[in-house]
Amino acid sequence: MKPLPLPVRIAAGLAVTAVERARLLPQQLAGLPVTVVSEALQLSMRLQQHVTELAIKGDDVLSGMRPPEDEPEWATFDEDESPPIVSPEAQVEDTSDDDGDDPWTEEERAIAAEPPAALPVYDELSLPQLRARLRVLSAEDLEDLLAYERAHDDRPQFTGMLNRRIATVRAQS
């Protein structure tokens, strides 16, 4: 027996496939909404990915054209905050006596001063070590330490911590 021509075999295969699909159509109709929604969501996600990729490429190109911000508006630093107000007694007295802004005079004055009696090892303490010892000091002792720090090294971390502790002690009393 001689095989049938190719177009006839293809037509017969198409007819059988159409009948099979027609039998499965009621089952497929029940799942059709889920399939359509799923494909629509996939398409939406792919579109969002492409839009995001384009935005990133655009940001890269445009970032070279704009100068960078020095400091973002949302960024705050401890140095930006105003320190608590310290009483005038705690301020270091100005004993410049017509020396003007002579740095040598200020350095000599700083070297000549002795550490406060409340904490004689002050110069040897690190910031965490000092923080541990501040809880037992009175406001007057803290003010003496602040004046000594300002006259010597005037380190922002130390003066800020002393100012905050003075404010806390005063608020508690």
Side-chain angles (χ1 to χ4, degrees), residues 31-114:
L32 187 64
V34 173
T35 304
V36 169
V37 169
S38 171
E39 289 181 9
L41 289 174
Q42 286 178 354
L43 179 65
S44 169
M45 290 176 67
R46 273 189 243 121
L47 180 64
Q48 288 175 353
Q49 286 176 338
H50 289 299
V51 168
T52 303
E53 288 173 4
L54 290 173
I56 290 171
K57 286 181 182 179
D59 286 344
D60 289 341
V61 169
L62 295 175
S63 67
M65 297 178 176
R66 289 190 315 190
E69 292 182 28
D70 289 339
E71 213 174 271
E73 295 174 9
W74 51 264
T76 59
F77 301 94
D78 290 341
E79 298 86 28
D80 295 342
E81 296 176 1
S82 59
I85 299 173
V86 178
S87 68
E89 302 90 41
Q91 301 294 327
V92 176
E93 293 181 15
D94 184 17
T95 58
S96 56
D97 294 336
D98 298 328
D99 290 331
D101 292 327
D102 185 14
W104 297 110
T105 305
E106 292 177 21
E107 185 176 345
E108 288 172 4
R109 190 175 339 119
I111 292 172
E114 292 293 322

Side-chain angles (χ1 to χ4, degrees), residues 86 89-93 106-125 130 140-155 158-159 162 166:
V86 178
E89 302 90 41
Q91 301 294 327
V92 176
E93 293 181 15
E106 292 177 21
E107 185 176 345
E108 288 172 4
R109 190 175 339 119
I111 292 172
E114 292 293 322
L119 202 52
V121 294
Y122 178 79
D123 290 328
E124 301 166 12
L125 298 176
L130 176 62
E140 293 78 26
D141 292 338
L142 292 166
E143 289 172 357
D144 290 343
L145 286 174
L146 180 61
Y148 179 76
E149 177 62 35
R150 286 187 175 154
H152 278 73
D153 297 329
D154 201 19
R155 298 168 287 191
F158 283 70
T159 57
L162 288 167
I166 290 169

